[in-house]
Amino acid sequence: MPLEPEAVEPVAEQKAVYPELIERLRKAGATEVSSLDYSKSGMDVDAQVTPQSLCAVASILKHGHFSLETLVGVDRQPEFEVLYLFKADNEGPRVKLRAKTDRETATLPTLTNVYGGADWYEREVFDMFGVNFIDHPHLRPLLLPHFTKFHPLRKDFHGAPIVIPEDTVEIPELDVQAATKLGQSTGLRSDFFLNMGPQHPSTHGVLRILLHVEGETILGGRCHLGYSHRGTEKLAEKKQYVQFLPYTDRMDYLSPLNYNWGFARLLETATGIESTPRAEVLRVIMCELSRIASHLVWLGTYLLDLGAITPFLYCFEDRERILTIFERATGQRMTTSYIVAGGVRNDVYSTFSLEISELMRDMRKRLVEYDKLVIGNEIFLMRTDKVGIISPELAIEYGVSGPCLRGSGVDYDARRDEPYCELYKELEWKVPFETGGDCLSRSRVRMAELEQSVNLVEQALLKLEDGPVRSKVPKIFKVPAGEYYSVTEGPRGIIGWYLIADGSQIPYRLKVRVPSFANLQTVEQLMPGTRVADVVSILGSLDVIIPEIDR
Amino acid sequence: MSESLQSTSHEEAGADTDHIPPIVQFLPLQKALDLARANSLWPLTFGIACCAIEMMAASASRYDADRFGAGVFRNSPRQADLMIVAGTVNLKMAPIIKRLYDQMPSPKWVIALGSCAICGGPFDQDDNYAVLQGVEKIVPVDIFVPGCPPRPEALLHAILELQERIKSGSTNATRA
Ligand code: SF4
């Protein structure tokens, strides 16, 4: 069924909220600029751009220090539309640019000249919709295998398994050009390529990096994704909203609760259902526990990569204690599906608070130990200090978020800066940030976050009062037609859900903006000039989850 | 020749098909080797998705797979004799799994951990275009562990079960 592109009616009478910005966007060539109601749609400004004016409008945003959050491709039938979502720092607005192209030509200009971070996003849209981005430096399939001949997210694609050709050997695609360019500046030249992954212990999943090396020095590198692509976004277009919830667990399995919350918040934004006070407190407790568990896995595996085995055993023991609580409260250790629209699925058990406060007490002692054991360790310092520096400019251009962003000295945390849970405002905590931008800073931020999360959990436990844990939700769950966006902060950064609803029980298009995707994209910029062993250190400090990136 | 010492060929599953059983057999020696192999399984470090974390948990402090001799995770397939497929296998990954399996020295065994590795799990629905319907299509599997994800205990149970089978000589592994 064709869907009207302007499903969200621009609020006509309402005064323009960001008049200056809107005026400048208009001047640069944007048409139909309007302001939206943030509480209803999750976006502040909406602008239509033509292919010719796209880059000019984006440059305005670039000068305003907006970061590119994600690209959303949509098959509007018959034409395609690409949405560019931008976010300003802390208090600023969220801007959405819309560019259209018809089905036959399906071409748009590339944004990579303005925003380097558009690179992978454009390749993803190219994969999924077959939209060509003119002058893109490297337009090749990102998630799908190179032998696929279809574009799965087009509405006229109804699913056919990829047939693997008999002699499939992934041909290493060598980025000779970029590497030779770098080689010229360093005076080094080489034709030696090193393949890392997809089965490699330090890539934390199935990531493949092709390194161009001269001795131990890296001249360039390319990431290959998609070894864990599971077609989740296409599945979402066939599942009812409630049925899709379990899939949110399985994207980032180290922090499923944070994904549950993001999805629940999306549905709450869209339908206006509100959750209950007790449920809000439970959400905060569970999500902070989940953050602790996730950071513990990071700490253990990162040190394992750097050659220390003992911390892994300690971290996993602590994590097991948290998982035991999850299991008793939700029924599952990892794939919880606990936070649902309107509250949480069920109430917790009687000794819940007691167990957690005991755990938090022990946790505090452990954190001191971890700090001594790890952060002060000389070998750890040598492997991480001044390695893989992400400058604040690079971080903003690539849309980096979470501890990686805060490690680069940008003080942004969606828990504090996006009004998605009142409780975070009431509790006493602070957002840790460091200015180094290197692996060490990122590690320090995470260690400090562990402590802050313990703080948050302890305070939230005191606010846990009796009451219902779920408000009334209609049996047949429908979302009114429109476009909605919701943002929450996961352990790795901003989790954004973009939903285009057509009023039925099934999403028309559901796009999830995952933090690891943007964070990992910087790695191609960080690698040149470093040593092979540093790649392990950099990757570990970014803390990426591959199935989350591949979806 | 005892039936149990015959190699089970898995043509449809893609295992070595031209394998010829040894002409002279040493039964007691074979038994001793089986016993040794069963108690020193070296799994390949190879996690694909969510189930891999439970695999890590099984080898970490609380569950400690080392108790059964199966905790020495090897990073190279050439040093491993047990492949635990932990996660969703998609069609881009499938040829690589096949190659990793081929690189492992015989005898070798495979555990399919989780419903994704068994049949595609929650993703094998509505004509999903990306996901392989079970790893058995590309490598011969000895033990299937259901769950999404299976608990670490389930993996430990699978390892114990596999040990029993190795000792009684009734696995899919080709003997060389
Ligand atoms: S079986 Fe479930 S937990 Fe395991 S990889 Fe598949 S989706 Fe993840």
Side-chain angles (χ1 to χ4, degrees):
Chain A
M1 170 193 51
L3 189 75
E4 275 304 302
E6 277 83 24
V8 174
E9 280 299 320
V11 196
E13 294 87 71
Q14 198 187 332
K15 251 193 17 245
V17 192
Y18 298 95
E20 204 179 313
L21 178 75
I22 290 179
E23 194 45 45
R24 284 172 63 200
L25 292 181
R26 260 203 198 109
K27 266 205 194 115
T31 52
E32 297 177 29
V33 193
S34 60
S35 61
L36 302 173
D37 183 358
Y38 181 83
S39 64
K40 291 216 183 81
S41 68
M43 279 283 154
D44 293 298
V45 178
D46 168 284
Q48 174 88 46
V49 290
T50 58
Q52 292 77 23
S53 66
L54 173 65
C55 286
V57 175
S59 308
I60 300 272
L61 295 174
K62 174 104 193 266
H63 284 138
H65 300 290
F66 279 75
S67 73
L68 177 62
E69 211 156 61
T70 191
L71 255 64
V72 187
V74 196
D75 184 356
R76 296 282 191 190
Q77 292 180 346
E79 80 267 313
F80 296 121
E81 192 172 60
V82 179
L83 312 175
Y84 301 78
L85 310 187
F86 294 90
K87 167 189 83 67
D89 45 2
N90 302 7
E91 251 87 85
R94 277 175 194 278
V95 179
K96 168 169 79 183
L97 301 185
R98 293 186 277 124
K100 275 195 192 129
T101 167
D102 59 57
R103 215 178 186 82
E104 283 68 48
T105 49
T107 44
L108 280 174
T110 179
L111 205 63
T112 44
N113 301 329
V114 187
Y115 276 96
D119 183 349
W120 285 11
Y121 289 119
E122 286 181 354
R123 281 172 68 190
E124 191 194 331
V125 175
F126 170 68
D127 248 7
M128 297 296 163
F129 295 92
V131 175
N132 280 301
F133 291 88
I134 304 163
D135 292 338
H136 187 288
H138 198 78
L139 200 60
R140 282 165 181 257
L142 181 72
L143 299 177
L144 298 179
H146 60 93
F147 47 77
T148 35
K149 300 263 178 334
F150 53 78
H151 304 292
L153 284 184
R154 287 189 175 191
K155 285 283 173 188
D156 50 13
F157 173 77
H158 293 296
I162 305 173
V163 185
I164 311 174
E166 274 297 306
D167 55 337
T168 321
V169 190
E170 268 277 307
I171 305 151
E173 136 215 8
L174 307 181
D175 194 14
V176 183
Q177 231 179 357
T180 19
K181 216 155 98 206
L182 194 101
Q184 274 162 4
S185 62
T186 53
L188 296 172
R189 228 179 307 139
S190 158
D191 46 15
F192 188 77
F193 290 86
L194 184 67
N195 190 46
M196 187 172 161
Q199 186 263 331
H200 189 281
S202 84
T203 54
H204 295 230
V206 279
L207 167 70
R208 173 169 166 217
I209 306 182
L210 195 71
L211 300 171
H212 183 196
V213 289
E214 150 67 28
E216 279 285 299
T217 311
I218 294 171
L219 303 184
R222 272 266 159 214
C223 293
H224 292 244
L225 306 176
Y227 292 100
S228 190
H229 176 63
R230 318 193 259 202
T232 314
E233 284 176 10
K234 185 73 180 178
L235 269 176
E237 292 173 14
K238 294 176 178 170
K239 295 255 172 257
Q240 294 177 6
Y241 291 100
V242 264
Q243 289 177 320
F244 187 69
L245 180 68
Y247 292 93
T248 63
D249 298 329
R250 285 157 180 79
M251 276 186 215
D252 177 356
Y253 39 76
L254 289 185
S255 58
L257 285 151
N258 301 65
Y259 268 73
N260 292 166
W261 196 358
F263 189 60
R265 181 166 131 73
L266 174 78
L267 298 183
E268 283 163 10
T269 314
T271 54
I273 295 174
E274 294 216 344
S275 84
T276 64
R278 185 176 166 85
E280 283 291 297
V281 181
L282 282 176
R283 283 174 176 190
V284 170
I285 294 174
M286 294 301 255
C287 282
E288 292 308 318
L289 283 179
S290 164
R291 189 182 312 271
I292 295 173
S294 168
H295 281 359
L296 284 174
V297 175
W298 160 77
L299 183 64
T301 52
Y302 187 32
L303 291 160
L304 206 58
D305 293 345
L306 297 182
I309 296 177
T310 325
F312 172 75
L313 301 173
Y314 281 81
C315 293
F316 262 70
E317 178 51 34
D318 285 349
R319 178 174 178 265
E320 283 298 334
R321 291 183 67 182
I322 296 178
L323 291 197
T324 312
I325 292 171
F326 283 175
E327 192 175 17
R328 288 193 71 183
T330 73
Q332 261 286 10
R333 283 158 55 86
M334 276 164 58
T335 44
T336 50
S337 296
Y338 183 59
I339 298 175
V340 293
V344 295
R345 189 155 41 80
N346 53 287
D347 208 342
V348 290
Y349 54 98
S350 55
T351 51
F352 180 76
S353 308
L354 205 70
E355 268 177 31
I356 294 183
S357 42
E358 210 170 284
L359 173 64
M360 288 301 115
R361 231 188 6 256
D362 296 350
M363 218 37 230
R364 277 196 192 281
K365 287 192 209 126
R366 269 300 174 75
L367 287 181
V368 178
E369 233 173 282
Y370 289 144
D371 224 42
K372 271 201 223 138
L373 188 67
V374 178
I375 302 295
N377 184 306
E378 197 162 327
I379 302 175
F380 179 77
L381 289 175
M382 276 161 70
R383 291 294 300 274
T384 55
D385 197 12
K386 307 250 174 353
V387 173
I389 298 178
I390 304 180
S391 65
E393 294 77 36
L394 185 79
I396 287 175
E397 180 172 340
Y398 277 74
V400 173
S401 58
C404 298
L405 180 69
R406 293 191 285 276
S408 296
V410 183
D411 187 11
Y412 173 83
D413 188 319
R415 284 175 291 172
R416 184 196 59 197
D417 301 321
E418 299 282 335
Y420 76 86
C421 178
E422 285 304 314
L423 202 57
Y424 280 121
K425 291 210 183 87
E426 292 166 23
L427 304 179
E428 232 171 85
W429 64 294
K430 60 180 194 317
V431 178
F433 80 102
E434 296 266 337
T435 47
D438 53 358
C439 297
L440 181 61
S441 302
R442 292 192 276 280
S443 308
R444 282 218 180 105
V445 167
R446 287 203 186 88
M447 295 305 285
E449 272 186 13
L450 277 171
E451 203 186 321
Q452 294 301 328
S453 292
V454 172
N455 271 346
L456 280 168
V457 172
E458 280 181 339
Q459 293 174 47
L461 277 177
L462 300 177
K463 299 217 177 243
L464 200 59
E465 279 160 13
D466 285 348
V469 291
R470 195 171 181 190
S471 51
K472 278 244 169 310
V473 177
K475 279 252 156 54
I476 297 174
F477 197 93
K478 280 186 183 164
V479 170
E483 302 192 3
Y484 313 95
Y485 187 54
S486 94
V487 165
T488 49
E489 178 90 17
R492 282 164 199 79
I494 294 175
I495 303 166
W497 290 87
Y498 197 91
L499 168 68
I500 300 177
D502 56 3
S504 69
Q505 293 183 48
I506 298 173
Y508 183 80
R509 169 95 171 92
L510 185 64
K511 157 93 191 172
V512 47
R513 184 261 183 225
V514 292
S516 298
F517 193 92
N519 295 359
L520 181 66
Q521 201 181 162
T522 54
V523 93
E524 290 184 356
Q525 309 297 314
L526 300 183
M527 277 188 298
T530 57
R531 303 298 172 96
V532 175
D534 289 341
V535 175
V536 175
S537 179
I538 294 172
L539 270 181
S541 77
L542 294 176
D543 190 18
V544 294
I545 296 281
I546 305 299
E548 171 191 69
I549 296 173
D550 291 349
R551 279 154 286 145
Chain B
M1 210 191 290
S2 125
E3 178 58 41
S4 62
L5 294 179
Q6 298 267 340
S7 72
T8 343
S9 75
H10 258 243
E11 278 121 290
E12 71 286 355
D16 304 2
T17 48
D18 53 354
H19 177 73
I20 303 159
I23 298 168
V24 186
Q25 302 250 356
F26 300 96
L27 200 62
L29 177 65
Q30 192 65 55
K31 281 237 150 69
L33 275 179
D34 279 346
L35 196 63
R37 279 169 181 152
N39 288 300
S40 63
L41 290 168
W42 284 14
L44 176 68
T45 314
F46 181 49
I48 308 174
C50 345
C51 284
I53 304 295
E54 289 295 59
M55 181 172 81
M56 275 159 71
S59 72
S61 10
R62 185 173 291 188
Y63 296 100
D64 195 11
D66 254 340
R67 288 176 295 163
F68 311 110
V72 197
F73 278 82
R74 305 314 299 173
N75 295 335
S76 161
R78 293 190 172 80
Q79 300 168 344
D81 55 6
L82 169 63
M83 180 189 247
I84 303 176
V85 183
T88 326
V89 180
N90 74 2
L91 293 152
K92 192 166 181 177
M93 195 64 203
I96 290 159
I97 290 185
K98 179 80 178 74
R99 186 189 286 192
L100 284 171
Y101 180 79
D102 290 345
Q103 284 176 340
M104 286 163 54
S106 290
K108 50 195 168 185
W109 302 277
V110 179
I111 291 179
L113 185 66
S115 40
C116 279
I118 296 176
C119 66
F123 297 95
D124 175 33
Q125 292 191 8
D126 299 322
D127 294 330
N128 192 322
Y129 59 89
V131 171
L132 191 75
Q133 291 160 335
V135 73
E136 211 194 8
K137 298 218 155 131
I138 42 174
V139 292
V141 178
D142 288 297
I143 309 273
F144 295 92
V145 191
C148 184
R151 297 179 55 91
E153 289 99 327
L155 177 57
L156 295 184
H157 181 213
I159 289 174
L160 290 176
E161 184 69 20
L162 181 64
Q163 289 179 343
E164 284 308 313
R165 290 201 196 170
I166 294 172
K167 281 187 237 165
S168 67
S170 56
T171 59
N172 288 335
T174 49
R175 283 160 200 282

